[in-house]
């Protein structure tokens, strides 16, 4: 004891032994890293659906006849309806049927069965839907421009979805109709998927240019 | 014992001298090393590690919504920029419905069992979930009145991306009945939107 103390005084510069702390930190970092979710989580705001008999979220009923723009997503494709005739607004596009009652975007390739991996060496046949979202977006942009004189402040869009459509396609549809993208029309799927949202400056704040940002789920008549 | 003592007596001095020599040599070597500063300094490494640790801990505690993705809970991809808020979180995984970390009912093949729907398959109301949600809403209202805030009825759905819409609709309907009006959907921010067909079978320029 005495000798070591003497030695310590002699050497003067004695480094702090950081090795135990180091050990601790090295153990803690992987632990915390594993704990942190690497996926960045975001949210999409949606208004509660207006279920006929249920409590309604739509408190401020408009005096004017609302636009009632509705997008229906089903196994056969996408239908768009509104209280104004849409055939006057829409430019003819491939794969789109425009009639008095509404617009019908046909599914380009009807949904196919795909092998989806479930566990090891086990696959399950599941449908994968190919919806024509680029065209949906282009039509939504056209409708927005077409009705902006009649309904300048309209932002609500109703979304009616068929029972067996997976949630991911509902989210995908919402992504295609809520904000304006760099271009007004997209033809190629890949180009559409990589396109980013358009931004504008409002009162010095940078925000995404809205298209139909207030999505509301419509309860389909069962 | 006696043999041992004899031996030590004979060699004790020699041993001691030898030991001292070794010690001296080691001491000399050590001093030489200190002079030449041939030690590894881990101070800088330590600094970096501490910063990383603090950064990670901050990230860890500041997340208002924690989602542990797994095979049964994969978030849909979206390009939204809204950040999650601290609300009541309802998880719809491929196997169960979980309210704020507490399992409520089972999900089988994307549907709730008939029993949980009060015996009627076509009913949109999920009974156990309604009870739990009403309790959660009452709790939240109590907190909001104490904090002098208005009850907003906000709820975040963390839904598995393959959940059929019918299940989501039932859950939303139940939530509306429990006085929740503002829905948020948790998504994973992928910076892009849309999905590729599984197995990379989607052709370039399908549309």
């Amino acid at each position: 004891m005495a000798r070591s103390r003497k030695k310590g005084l002699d050497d003067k510069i004695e480094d702090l032994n950081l090795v135990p702390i180091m050990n601790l930190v090295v153990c803690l970092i992987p632990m915390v890293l594993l704990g942190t979710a690497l996926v960045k989580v975001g949210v999409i705001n949606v208004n509660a659906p207006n279920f006929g008999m249920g409590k309604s979220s739509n408190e401020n009923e408009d005096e004017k006849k609302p636009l009632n723009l509705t997008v229906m997503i089903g196994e056969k494709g996408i239908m768009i309806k509104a209280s104004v005739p849409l055939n006057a607004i829409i430019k003819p596009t491939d794969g789109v049927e425009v009639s008095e009652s509404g617009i019908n975007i046909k599914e380009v390739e009807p949904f196919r069965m795909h092998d989806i991996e479930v566990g090891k060496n086990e696959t399950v046949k599941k449908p994968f839907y190919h919806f024509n979202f680029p065209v949906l977006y282009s039509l939504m942009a056209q409708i927005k421009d077409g009705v902006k004189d009649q309904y300048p402040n309209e932002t609500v869009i109703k979304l009616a979805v068929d029972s067996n459509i997976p949630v991911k396609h509902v989210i995908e549809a919402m992504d295609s109709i809520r904000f304006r993208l760099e271009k007004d029309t997209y033809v190629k799927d890949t180009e559409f998927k990589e396109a980013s949202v358009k931004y504008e400056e409002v009162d010095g704040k940078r925000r995404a240019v809205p298209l139909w940002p207030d999505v509301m789920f419509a309860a389909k008549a069962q | 014992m006696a043999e041992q003592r004899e031996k030590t007596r004979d060699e004790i001095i020699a041993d001691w001298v030898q030991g001292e020599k070794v010690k001296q040599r080691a001491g000399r070597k050590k001093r030489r090393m200190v002079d030449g500063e041939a030690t590894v300094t881990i101070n800088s490494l330590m600094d970096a590690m501490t910063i990383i640790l603090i950064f990670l801990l901050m990230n860890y505690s500041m997340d208002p919504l924690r989602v542990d993705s797994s095979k049964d809970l994969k978030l849909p991809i979206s390009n939204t920029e809204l950040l999650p808020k601290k609300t009541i979180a309802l998880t719809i995984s491929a196997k169960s419905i979980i309210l704020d970390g507490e399992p409520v009912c089972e999900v089988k093949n994307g549907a709730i069992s008939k029993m949980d729907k009060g015996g009627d398959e076509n009913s949109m109301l999920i009974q156990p979930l309604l009870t739990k949600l009403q309790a959660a809403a009452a709790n939240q209202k109590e907190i909001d009145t104490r904090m002098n805030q208005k009850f907003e009825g906000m709820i975040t759905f963390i839904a598995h991306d393959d959940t059929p819409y019918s299940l989501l609709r039932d859950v939303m309907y139940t939530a509306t009945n429990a006085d929740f009006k503002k829905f948020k959907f948790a998504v994973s921010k992928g910076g892009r939107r849309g999905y590729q067909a599984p197995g990379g079978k989607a052709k370039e320029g399908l549309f």
Side-chain angles (χ1 to χ4, degrees), chain A:
Chain A
M1 275 299 274
R3 191 183 284 160
S4 71
R5 204 179 295 152
K6 215 174 174 182
K7 220 173 185 180
L9 281 169
D10 279 354
D11 286 348
K12 274 176 191 169
I13 316 154
E14 182 96 343
D15 267 343
L16 202 69
N17 191 9
L18 290 172
V19 176
I21 307 169
M22 199 66 196
N23 288 345
L24 199 77
V25 172
V26 168
C27 290
L28 271 175
I29 286 178
M31 242 176 67
V32 180
L33 253 182
L34 282 178
T36 4
L38 291 174
V39 233
K40 278 198 174 168
V41 180
V43 285
I44 296 180
N45 288 342
V46 170
N47 290 316
N50 204 349
F51 291 107
M53 52 189 237
K55 281 167 198 160
S56 155
S57 68
N58 210 0
E59 281 152 7
N60 45 343
E61 291 284 343
D62 258 357
E63 318 82 49
K64 200 169 78 176
K65 196 184 168 199
L67 177 62
N68 235 342
L69 184 63
T70 309
V71 173
M72 282 171 268
I73 302 166
E75 273 182 6
K76 289 195 181 110
I78 305 169
M79 285 273 286
I80 306 166
K81 278 184 180 173
S83 60
V84 291
L86 291 172
N87 44 1
I89 302 165
I90 300 301
K91 282 185 285 180
T93 324
D94 281 345
V96 178
E97 266 174 29
V98 186
S99 66
E100 286 283 320
S101 58
I103 308 168
N104 188 7
I105 308 170
K106 279 181 284 179
E107 212 177 359
V108 176
E109 260 183 64
F111 73 94
R112 302 180 292 192
M113 301 307 263
H114 281 276
D115 293 327
I116 290 169
E117 266 184 49
V118 190
K120 276 180 190 169
N121 304 323
E122 205 184 321
T123 51
V124 163
K125 285 238 184 266
K126 267 189 177 180
F128 183 84
Y129 301 87
H130 294 273
F131 289 111
N132 203 340
F133 287 121
V135 166
L136 174 68
Y137 164 75
S138 312
L139 291 176
M140 282 299 141
Q142 282 179 43
I143 295 169
K144 180 83 181 176
D145 294 338
V147 298
K148 71 171 176 231
D149 298 328
Q150 277 173 283
Y151 300 95
N153 299 320
E154 187 68 71
T155 53
V156 178
I157 187 157
K158 280 183 185 169
L159 205 59
V161 188
D162 257 5
S163 305
N164 40 3
I165 305 293
V167 168
K168 60 182 171 193
H169 294 305
V170 181
I171 302 283
E172 206 179 342
M174 284 201 260
D175 270 353
S176 327
I177 55 183
R178 287 170 68 237
F179 294 104
R180 222 176 250 279
L181 305 178
E182 284 151 346
K183 287 206 278 179
D184 277 346
T185 22
Y186 287 93
V187 183
K188 271 197 173 175
D189 195 38
T190 41
E191 191 191 7
F192 173 71
K193 277 176 180 164
E194 271 148 34
S196 54
V197 176
K198 203 164 137 184
Y199 285 94
E200 63 180 358
E201 291 260 340
V202 179
D203 305 326
K205 269 189 186 172
R206 192 168 169 269
R207 62 155 206 182
V209 183
L211 195 58
W212 302 100
D214 295 327
V215 179
M216 205 171 104
F217 281 107
K220 233 172 147 189
Q222 295 276 318

